[in-house]
Amino acid sequence: MTRWLAEYAWLPEDAEPTPDVLIEATDGRLTAVTPLTGGGPPAAGVTVDAVRLPGLTLPGLANAHSHAFHRALRGRTHAGRGDFWSWRDPMYAVAARLDPDSYLALARAAYAEMALAGITCVGEFHYLHHGPDGTRYDDPNVMSEALVEAAAHAGIRLTLLDAAYLTAGVDGAELVGPQRRFDDGDALRWAERVDAFRPTDGHVRRGAAIHSVRAVPAGQLATVAGWADRHGLPLHAHVSEQPAENDACRAVHGCTPTRLLADHGALGRHTTAVHATHPTAADVTLLGDSGTGVCLCPTTERDLADGIGPARRIAEAGSPLSLGSDSHAVVDLFEEARAVELDERLRTRRRGHFTAAELLAAATVTGHVALGWGDAGRLAVGDRADLVTVRLDSARTAGVPPVGVFFAATAADVTQVVVDGRTVVADGRHLTVDVPTELRDSIAVVTS
Ligand SMILES: [Zn+2]
């Protein structure tokens, strides 16, 4: 058994953190979470035999939407003009250069950066399936295997959301150039390939993804959704990130992307719509009534000039909100969380849309549920022993009350990260990966 004594810990359902919490775990599971103050503090002079965690300890953060290889683009596209559509050109250039070895190296470094930021679980929305010209590798899931190994090295859990990406547009245009490596041919062959991918490691689970209504023909949406449903696995889809996607969908199908997904059985409690930046009022109702989750990626949405989604309306309609770093322009779930509130302020010119506890839930438990880990994201007995400790004595956080952490802290304030009971980050350093060096070297391979 391992015991930690947190100076503050944020317990489930609480509006704010609790001081002096004893946390115990055995075999990667929390076995006791005991506030000492309420339950009788140790008598003066009596020491508790536990690892001290100065600062605020949170449950593990879940990054519900990632494309690991986009990390190579940070700082390379941000000064340019253009929009989401022109940004894709350098993104495709990196995609074209990756092979299983360089993908492993880049993803390992990107996931280790996530660990440093307190992310204990990542949802990888994965579509780099085949060789650069579209030829299948001998093992058609070798790129998925690279991601599984990368997450193992980085010490975090992974949900491999295997994305069907079959066409270049809503009109069914064929994939060309660098996009050919995304292509399984059709949804049945996609299902055949993902059926063959059976990771046995405890840190990985499977899931499915519809890249978008641009990338999966309407007649094949149900095949992907049905596969996820049959296996009881999460299904994710990019939805209405751009107005042009809505316009194209209306032109071809006479409805919005959300309506199209609903009509083909792709919405529901196990589905997460990523972005939902430009939904109609009817879309918001469809998402909420079906219990479909929505994953917001505010730092990417602002970087790509996507727009600001109606986060509060989406939440009130019934969609659980999760967070993702998506393109990794920023890997910092504190920044993503406060952006949900602050962007809503910019949109509405009013303050106070989300409580601190709601932002915590989006960064932790809801994200884990969206990735198929219903047993993580809370400091609760029986849950996975994920602990993320944030210092309250940095230049950013000194003098900040613990409840204000989501409005003050950055990823750089994370000092200690425990995943499934195992310490991955201590004193702000990754224990097994030299993160800056590995990021520099792995990015140089695919960009130089
Ligand atoms: Zn994405």
Side-chain angles (χ1 to χ4, degrees), residues 44-57:
V46 174
T47 54
V48 176
D49 177 21
V51 177
R52 303 276 163 163
L53 298 175
L56 168 61
T57 295

Side-chain angles (χ1 to χ4, degrees), residues 187 216-224 253 260 264:
V216 179
Q220 300 183 49
L221 291 169
T223 303
V224 182
H253 300 296
L260 191 68
H264 291 85

Side-chain angles (χ1 to χ4, degrees), residues 281-358:
D283 290 341
V284 171
T285 303
L286 268 176
L287 292 167
D289 285 354
S290 59
T292 300
V294 171
C295 179
L296 304 169
C297 308
T299 67
T300 293
E301 289 150 10
R302 72 190 184 201
D303 181 62
L304 295 180
D306 286 343
I308 300 170
R312 187 70 244 177
R313 279 201 286 126
I314 287 171
E316 279 174 5
S319 290
L321 299 184
S322 55
L323 302 172
S325 64
D326 191 4
S327 68
H328 313 316
V330 174
V331 171
D332 186 338
L333 286 197
F334 299 99
E335 179 63 26
E336 303 291 347
R338 64 178 155 261
V340 171
E341 164 67 22
L342 297 177
D343 287 358
E344 193 75 356
R345 293 183 188 183
L346 286 174
R347 205 172 64 80
T348 62
R349 287 178 286 160
R350 277 189 299 108
R351 308 179 78 235
H353 301 272
F354 292 91
T355 66
E358 285 178 311

